[in-house]
């Protein structure tokens, strides 16, 4: 009886590795591709506001037609 359980456990382990591993690799590849499509989005860099010259992090900055702005006022967004 123990041998049967052991065999099942081994099969389950092999099955798990065969099924799970490619999925993890696929997810990782998808993430890498997504990062490639949006270069520098996760990277926090300091950018200068086009209007007032204030330095803000790229995450906080507003990007209007390819230029960085510190606030909606500077970007003239209504
Ligand atoms: Zn500004």
């Amino acid at each position: 009886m123990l041998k049967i359980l052991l065999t099942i456990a081994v099969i389950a382990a092999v099955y798990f590795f065969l099924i799970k591993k490619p999925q993890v690799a696929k997810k990782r590849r998808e993430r890498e591709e997504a990062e490639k499509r949006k270069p520098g989005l996760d990277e926090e860099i300091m950018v200068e506001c086009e209007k007032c010259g204030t330095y803000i992090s790229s995450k906080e900055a507003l990007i209007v037609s390819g230029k960085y702005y510190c606030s909606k006022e500077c970007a003239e967004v209504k």
Side-chain angles (χ1 to χ4, degrees):
M1 191 58 191
L2 197 74
K3 253 190 174 179
I4 294 161
L5 282 172
L6 218 84
T7 309
I8 290 165
V10 169
I11 290 165
V14 170
Y15 188 78
F16 179 83
F17 273 105
L18 284 175
I19 299 300
K20 200 87 180 176
K21 265 197 175 174
Q23 276 183 350
V24 171
K26 198 186 164 197
K27 271 190 183 170
R28 220 176 115 190
R29 215 178 318 130
E30 277 172 5
R31 221 180 114 190
E32 277 168 10
E33 273 170 22
E35 274 169 20
K36 255 183 241 165
R37 258 177 271 139
K38 298 172 192 169
L41 207 79
D42 283 338
E43 231 178 290
E44 207 173 310
I45 50 156
M46 295 307 280
V47 290
E48 193 178 355
C49 172
E50 197 67 25
K51 190 151 190 182
C52 67
T54 304
Y55 279 92
I56 60 264
S57 84
S58 58
K59 276 184 181 173
E60 289 166 60
L62 288 165
I63 303 161
V64 180
S65 49
K67 285 171 181 175
Y68 292 103
Y69 295 96
C70 69
S71 61
K72 277 184 182 178
E73 285 74 33
C74 280
E76 285 162 12
V77 179
K78 277 155 203 168

